[in-house]
Amino acid sequence: MYTHAGHWSANKRITFLAIGLAVLLALAGLAAWWTGRSESHWSASPDAASAPPTTAPVQPPAGGSGTVAPPAKISDPLAYGKAAAQVLWTYDTRTTSHTQHLAGLRAWVTPETKYADWPGIQAQIPDPVLWTRMHDNAQHAEATVSESRFPSSFKQALAEDPAALTTAYIYAVTVTGKQQISWNGGGAGAEDRSVTLAVQCRPGADCSLVAISPRVLP
């Protein structure tokens, strides 16, 4: 099992910490949200380890085999969080290059550079050398997403200041599911996955991905 950890810049951590809003920085309880590091698990050998929540399984986004699915046209943050998590947990090194995979993911990220943490998202993806090793082993992964919800700390912050959301319209969404990894020789492994995403859903527009939290928020 290979592990690839990503870093957030200080500016991006502060941006997501505030949910895009400086007013939330005054809430001391949010300071613990973004401490620590998140780890994304990748393997390149057969040694790899084998509002109310929405619970209905999400359908795979449309997209050709071996390519990153195009951005979901969804205006609901919980539903969009599911679609984004599935894309983040799905890859096929047999038919997609590292450059193609990154380009596909980039299309999901908000064009508002003030909020977007593309470097942090990119850091969650295996680097070109590891991607090549995974390609040599025909490694690919699929994902099944089971639930998305607003973290309790996010709901509490909004309850204390409901108007705070209306500056950037960035929501924290925690998604859970399972990733199935396969490789040469019939090898396969599965693991439970959880992630907290920052999702921007402005009124009258489709949602977009802002960042990946360094911690999974309950």
Side-chain angles (χ1 to χ4, degrees), residues 69-97:
K73 302 299 183 180
I74 298 174
S75 58
D76 173 71
L78 292 177
Y80 185 86
K82 280 187 170 186
Q86 185 160 20
V87 164
L88 289 169
W89 296 336
T90 301
Y91 60 88
D92 193 339
T93 65
R94 300 169 301 178
T95 56
T96 307
S97 70

Side-chain angles (χ1 to χ4, degrees), residues 7-104:
H7 299 270
W8 274 17
S9 69
N11 287 340
K12 296 302 181 181
R13 282 200 300 271
I14 292 172
T15 298
F16 194 13
L17 168 66
I19 315 300
L21 306 168
V23 67
L24 293 186
L25 288 171
L27 302 177
L30 298 182
W33 279 22
W34 317 123
T35 58
R37 298 153 61 98
S38 64
E39 294 185 343
S40 180
H41 299 284
W42 308 87
S43 63
S45 72
D47 294 329
S50 29
T54 60
T55 56
V58 66
Q59 294 298 316
S65 175
T67 62
V68 176
K73 302 299 183 180
I74 298 174
S75 58
D76 173 71
L78 292 177
Y80 185 86
K82 280 187 170 186
Q86 185 160 20
V87 164
L88 289 169
W89 296 336
T90 301
Y91 60 88
D92 193 339
T93 65
R94 300 169 301 178
T95 56
T96 307
S97 70
H98 184 264
T99 299
Q100 290 171 331
H101 187 77
L102 286 182

Side-chain angles (χ1 to χ4, degrees), residues 20-200:
L21 306 168
V23 67
L24 293 186
L25 288 171
L27 302 177
L30 298 182
W33 279 22
W34 317 123
T35 58
R37 298 153 61 98
S38 64
E39 294 185 343
S40 180
H41 299 284
W42 308 87
S43 63
S45 72
D47 294 329
S50 29
T54 60
T55 56
V58 66
Q59 294 298 316
S65 175
T67 62
V68 176
K73 302 299 183 180
I74 298 174
S75 58
D76 173 71
L78 292 177
Y80 185 86
K82 280 187 170 186
Q86 185 160 20
V87 164
L88 289 169
W89 296 336
T90 301
Y91 60 88
D92 193 339
T93 65
R94 300 169 301 178
T95 56
T96 307
S97 70
H98 184 264
T99 299
Q100 290 171 331
H101 187 77
L102 286 182
L105 289 181
R106 186 67 181 86
W108 286 72
V109 179
T110 178
E112 296 186 36
T113 56
K114 177 180 179 180
Y115 303 115
D117 182 29
W118 171 238
I121 295 170
Q122 184 176 352
Q124 300 296 319
I125 308 305
D127 62 35
V129 174
L130 179 53
W131 190 272
T132 298
R133 296 177 62 186
M134 293 162 65
H135 169 77
D136 292 342
N137 208 33
Q139 186 169 314
H140 53 286
E142 298 178 351
T144 301
V145 178
S146 56
E147 178 185 279
S148 63
R149 66 183 184 276
F150 296 126
S152 58
S153 50
F154 175 76
K155 292 190 290 185
Q156 179 181 351
L158 290 185
E160 294 181 9
D161 188 355
L165 185 66
T166 60
T167 296
Y169 288 96
I170 295 176
Y171 301 79
V173 179
T174 294
V175 185
T176 57
K178 185 178 291 289
Q179 184 185 50
Q180 179 75 37
I181 304 173
S182 303
W183 55 86
N184 270 340
E191 63 178 348
D192 294 329
R193 300 299 303 269
S194 296
V195 67
T196 297
L197 305 174
V199 173
Q200 185 177 51

